[in-house]
Structures are given as structure tokens and as C-alpha cells.
Amino acid sequence: EAEVARLTASPDLSQTGNYEMLRNESHNHVRFTYARGWVLPDQGIFFFDYSSTRRPPFAMPPMPEGKEVAHHLGRSKLGSGPKLRAVRAISVHLFLSAQQLRSLLLCFPEGEDRQDLFCLLHTRVVDPGRLLGPDLLLDGSLLRPDDARALLHRIGHLHCLNPIYPDGVQYTCNLMIYEERRVVDFLVQLAEKEPGGKVLGDRASDGGIGPLPLPASWSDKGVPVEEAVLTCVYEVANPNYPWRQQLAERYCVGHFEKS
């Protein structure tokens, strides 16, 4: 998948800017960045998350079987482990709507089980604009704030970015990390062509003076690589949806449409 993304000049959604799908890698609890030259050791514990860039084909409709899966899971007396294994076995054959995934999530208890199911099926959802918005990912009654933060870590900030509806969401980004810096760059570029659009950011290193507009130079020179954690939000009165569509093709994967 990484080689295909490079050859097709697809957006780089990796954690470190190397196109790799592996993230949060560690060997024997020591973090490192995977590269093609790395040789798998003969022993030890190799931990990683894998975040695929594959998405449903354009205009793929959700399958009615998704509703049947939720129906059977809801009636089953089995625990979460067997249910998750069953869904994993059929996941590559499913294409779901965000609403169908929501119904499936409700078949599992809050916490890590819902996180696991989201990780398993988010690449099979045909309407990512709804998936990554208040209908699902940002619905605190379905996925608690801790769950949403855990999914950002496990799946990736760019994978969880909603380029069509980024307004009013609080982003917390470490400017030393490629994917998080790219989220800020997306917001800065968005503000360039939306009249009145502004990215308000607050850095702890600023002494807590409150959110301020980000420097205009960042749109031309790029977001700086620096040891700073930026908490920001995007505000605009009149969204420019064609521009958002263009940015979606540069920063994200999948087919985002205005609903």
C-alpha cells in the first residue's frame, strides 16, 4: 500500500511523513520509526498499529447486509471477543454507511471494544463525511472523548480529519509530528480562500494568553517544525465547499461530499 501511494502521488497520511501504514511502532517497548531496511528481530515484542489508506470505490452504495449483521449481533449473547472476531472475518466483504456502523457500535459496550470495531470498519464506510462528524466520531454519547482521542492515536490524525466539515472542532497538534502538523497546514490553507476564515490557536508556551490567529506566513512558508503543542479551532461564516473538496484530495483519502 505504501509503494502504491508513492507511485500514484496519493496524499501521505503516515505518522512520520514516510508513506508507511505502520504507526506507533515499538520493539520491546522502545519506540522507533519503521523503514524498509528494518529487519524483523528473532525475538522480542513488536507492537504497531496499521492504518490502511484503502477506501470504498467512488459511488459505492452501502450494503443491506450491514443491517443484518447489526441485527444478529444485537441478539447474540456472546461476549465482545467472539463478536469482534466474527465481524473481522466478514469485514472485507462489507461496505457500510455511517449509520450502519453506528448501529454496529451500539452492539458493543463503551470503551476499547467500540474503538476496536471502529478501527476494523472505518475503511469500509462509504460516506466518510458523516463518519468523521457529529453523526459518529464526534458524537460523545457514542464514543466518549477518551475513545475519540484513542482513535486519533491508533488510526491517525489525518485519517480522522473531516475536510468538508472541519469547523468548530478542537484540534490538539504536536508540531514535531508530521501528521499533526499537516492538520494545522490544512486549516491554514483552508482559511486562505474562505473569506473571514481564521484558525485560532493557543500554545501552552505562549503563557496562556488565549487563542490568537495563527501567523499568516504559515500559509506560504509552511507550518514550522517546533516543539510546541497547538490547540486550535477553525471558524468561518461562509464555507467555500469547492475549495474544501480540492483540499480533501490533497490531504485525505476517500470520497468526501457535502451532505
Side-chain angles (χ1 to χ4, degrees), residues 44-57:
I45 298 173
F46 177 34
F47 175 89
F48 60 92
D49 290 302
Y50 188 91
S51 209
S52 174
T53 55
R54 291 188 179 185
R55 295 295 188 273

Side-chain angles (χ1 to χ4, degrees), residues 1-2 4-13 19 53 178 182 249-253:
E1 287 190 58
V4 169
R6 289 188 183 96
L7 289 172
T8 58
S10 298
D12 182 0
L13 272 63
Y19 272 103
T53 55
Y178 167 81
R182 285 281 288 174
E249 296 174 3
R250 286 167 48 184
Y251 289 84
C252 303
V253 292

Side-chain angles (χ1 to χ4, degrees), residues 95-113:
F95 290 109
L96 304 169
S97 68
Q99 182 58 46
Q100 287 174 327
L101 177 54
R102 181 185 180 88
S103 297
L104 288 169
L105 286 167
L106 290 171
C107 297
F108 292 83
E110 291 183 328
E112 194 167 340
D113 291 333

Side-chain angles (χ1 to χ4, degrees), residues 22-214:
L22 274 69
R23 50 184 294 109
N24 304 319
E25 311 97 312
S26 69
H27 179 245
N28 287 338
H29 308 291
V30 178
R31 286 292 305 271
F32 74 99
T33 298
Y34 170 80
R36 290 306 170 93
W38 185 73
V39 178
L40 186 68
D42 294 328
Q43 58 185 357
I45 298 173
F46 177 34
F47 175 89
F48 60 92
D49 290 302
Y50 188 91
S51 209
S52 174
T53 55
R54 291 188 179 185
R55 295 295 188 273
F58 177 68
M60 173 64 70
M63 300 170 64
E65 289 83 356
K67 184 177 179 180
E68 292 299 314
V69 173
H71 174 72
H72 288 293
L73 286 179
R75 295 181 60 187
S76 174
K77 303 300 182 183
L78 294 173
S80 295
K83 287 181 180 180
L84 282 168
R85 288 193 293 272
V87 175
R88 185 179 298 277
I90 63 171
S91 61
V92 295
H93 304 292
L94 291 175
F95 290 109
L96 304 169
S97 68
Q99 182 58 46
Q100 287 174 327
L101 177 54
R102 181 185 180 88
S103 297
L104 288 169
L105 286 167
L106 290 171
C107 297
F108 292 83
E110 291 183 328
E112 194 167 340
D113 291 333
R114 289 189 185 179
Q115 293 177 33
D116 289 345
L117 188 71
F118 188 97
C119 291
L120 181 61
L121 293 176
H122 77 280
T123 62
R124 314 300 298 177
V125 173
V126 301
D127 49 346
R130 291 187 178 276
L131 169 75
L132 302 177
D135 290 348
L136 206 152
L137 180 60
L138 301 181
D139 182 354
S141 66
L142 182 68
L143 292 167
R144 300 171 303 187
D146 286 349
D147 295 323
R149 284 190 290 269
L151 289 170
L152 279 176
H153 176 74
R154 294 175 63 176
I155 295 174
H157 287 247
L158 290 168
H159 287 270
C160 293
L161 174 66
N162 190 333
I164 303 300
Y165 301 106
D167 322 60
V169 178
Q170 182 172 288
Y171 303 90
T172 300
C173 300
N174 185 336
L175 299 187
M176 290 297 293
I177 299 175
Y178 167 81
E179 61 173 347
E180 300 182 34
R181 198 166 58 249
R182 285 281 288 174
V183 170
V184 179
D185 187 58
F186 165 82
L187 297 173
V188 170
Q189 297 302 324
L190 181 60
E192 273 293 287
K193 292 193 178 181
E194 291 198 330
K198 54 187 176 182
V199 188
L200 299 177
D202 189 3
R203 288 183 287 191
S205 58
D206 291 338
I209 59 176
L212 297 172
L214 298 185

